[in-house]
Amino acid sequence: MYAGHIGFGLGAYSFRKTIPLWLLLIAAQIPDWLDAGYCISGIDRGPYGMYSHGLIPVATAALLVGALAFALTHDATAALIVALVVLSHWGLDYFTGIKPTWPGGPVVGMNLYARPVVDVILETATILAGWLLYRRTLPESVRNSRWTYATLISLCALQILAGVAFALSIGGHAKC
């Protein structure tokens, strides 16, 4: 899941508008950013991305980003929401990919990346649900603006492009 994580972060904003939106969007993507950082740096990511997408690194990231949220907002509920957004990454990726659990543990997932049409439908639904929740937080004057809808269309287009890129890389066994 790529843009679907952003949709989830947008939706989480509707539960606590005092959380900086940028923090929720980063929280939603932390494991992918960590994975990309490992890849760019040439650092081993572990089997199936264990060091970025395993339950232990995701839980650790949730604690750290949740603590950052608490430091910024002094709001325990906001910190919990941010931590849950980080944790949601693993759960959402369960549907789209194959993810590690813990060292020596099982590798699990539905691997919908192997079914690109189903994957796009699921991820687009996630984006739409998050966007609809987020849209409710906007002032009436901008809820139906072209920029609000452009956000939705851009996220869906980004997801489709990511899906196509991923589908093409499966055959080529892309390194990153």
Side-chain angles (χ1 to χ4, degrees), residues 89-147:
H89 193 104
W90 194 92
L92 293 170
D93 276 2
Y94 172 85
F95 293 100
T96 56
I98 298 173
K99 296 301 170 192
T101 50
W102 50 85
V107 176
V108 298
M110 296 177 65
N111 197 26
L112 292 181
Y113 287 143
R115 295 181 177 88
V117 173
V118 176
D119 175 61
V120 167
I121 291 168
L122 174 68
E123 297 211 40
T124 301
T126 303
I127 293 165
L128 179 61
W131 178 83
L132 286 170
L133 287 169
Y134 172 71
R135 186 175 162 266
R136 292 185 337 182
T137 70
L138 298 174
E140 284 285 334
S141 61
V142 296
R143 276 189 195 159
N144 291 314
S145 74
R146 65 179 150 185
W147 295 110

Side-chain angles (χ1 to χ4, degrees), residues 24-96:
L24 285 166
L25 299 181
I26 290 171
Q29 292 284 319
I30 286 290
D32 288 337
W33 288 15
L34 186 56
D35 195 56
Y38 286 154
C39 185
I40 290 168
S41 301
I43 297 172
D44 179 26
R45 298 177 292 159
Y48 298 98
M50 175 64 74
Y51 305 140
S52 61
H53 283 76
L55 288 173
I56 294 170
V58 172
T60 301
L63 288 172
L64 292 172
V65 180
L68 173 64
F70 185 77
L72 291 172
T73 64
H74 304 290
D75 180 348
T77 302
L80 178 62
I81 290 170
V82 170
L84 290 173
V85 168
V86 175
L87 290 173
S88 76
H89 193 104
W90 194 92
L92 293 170
D93 276 2
Y94 172 85
F95 293 100
T96 56

